[in-house]
Amino acid sequence: MLALRLTRGSHPAVQLRRLLVAVASAGTGFLLLCTLGYAMGHPDSPAAAALRLAWCATPLAATVYFAVAVARTDPATKPRPGLSAIGLGPGRLMAISATTTALACALGSMLALLFFLHLRGDLTGMPFDGAAAEFLASDQPLPLPAALTLLSLVPLTASIAVALVLRPRDIRPASEKGPARSYGRFGVQGRPGARETFGAYGRFGARLRGDARRDATEDAEPAEQPEPTTAPDPDPSRPPAPREAPRGLPWGVAVLAAGLAVEAYANRERDGGGLSLPGGLAHGPASVLAGWVLTAIGLALAGPGLTHLCGRLLQSAGPGALRLLAGRVLMEEASRIGRPLGVVCAVASGAFAMTALYDPNAPSFGPLTTLGGLLVTGCTVATLLTAAVEAKHARADTTAALLRLGAPATMLRSAAALRAGALLALFLPLTLFVAELAALPLAGR
């Protein structure tokens, strides 16, 4: 009930993002139901049905990734002062966010089921003159348990992912952490891990009397403050140093190279079968799919490091105030926008490779292939835009401070345009290069 109240009273922009999550969930659920319909209509080809179900994993992952990004930017579930006093600690806020995500995805899954039943003719008769009867198995009764199982994949996976990402963490350094603490219900009440016994206080409150005498002595004779061992900062207005570079760049490059190597090995095999790409695309070895997956993971891992490197390059060779500001912001936001940018780069390279492999003599893209491509592309781009909005809100205090100091608004807009141009100049050639290498195994070159 609390999750419903928070959802109803949110900002219209937040409601729009949740609506987009529901739309993505509806599209993914419809693809899963169409896979069930194909399996029902073709019981003699289980391998083809399993391959269609495997291709649905990509839209499912993109939808869950977008749902997690929307949950991270939800202001209703951000920890604020005073919430723990009324029972809304970090643990319960995490549970509310996971419940809200599950509700949005469940709404989309329900819409997908209604639309699927409408196309089958189970509600108001067969629409579109029965054009969808081939892959929906309209002449057979729908197994409701199987349909509900497939539709529960998106809400269940998204809520678990949100709970794992937003789980409470102790972000203090190891040197500042005290003894281990155990938390009460939903993380509201905290108490020391080792509980003291009754005898620790001494007999008849001797411990309390000793503490009182010690406090009185300290009040009478204040302790001398130790002299500082380090000199004060001569420039207190100096901006803090940016965060350290993300450590995933070497791993990302290694996984990317491994994926390209797997694709090159698949090109040497030329077994001519195993992998059937949807929508009339080329056929090739089954190991090409593993190479593409490794390539996408490598780009996602290398995205934060490449974004940080881009910000460092902007500040090289005698930078001015504009380049310094743009570079520092990129280095600070590398972990937040770098990974979505790497995922968009991976999706764009895959789309470019599939377009280059398209055979004009083959049948055109079907409606399900088009829907899956739109879902993956839309979710990844929406995730990147959501991460950009989150980054903008995170640096709102810095932007307000710059405006108070007299920085013109045109300078801030120019810095944003410079950051976008620098990222485009780095990631666009990388996308084209990876797409060209990914298309080689199936192009017959």
Side-chain angles (χ1 to χ4, degrees), residues 40 64 66 94 97 102 112 184 254 277 281 322 338:
M40 292 168 53
V64 171
F66 178 48
M94 177 268 295
S97 183
L277 298 182
L281 298 179
L322 183 62

Side-chain angles (χ1 to χ4, degrees), residues 11 27 40 65 95 135 152 154 194 203 216 225 296 350 378 385 405 440 442:
H11 193 271
M40 292 168 53
Y65 191 49
F135 58 90
S152 64
V154 180
R203 189 177 183 183
Q225 299 292 334
L385 296 178
L405 291 175
L440 285 178
L442 299 179

Side-chain angles (χ1 to χ4, degrees), residues 343-366:
V343 173
V344 170
C345 181
V347 172
S349 62
F352 183 82
M354 288 185 177
T355 304
L357 293 173
Y358 180 70
D359 187 5
N361 299 324
S364 59
F365 290 109

Side-chain angles (χ1 to χ4, degrees), residues 248-253 256 297-307 338-339 342 427:
L249 182 57
W251 288 103
V253 173
L256 177 61
I297 294 176
L299 287 173
L301 291 177
L306 292 176
T307 305
R339 185 160 287 111
F427 280 92

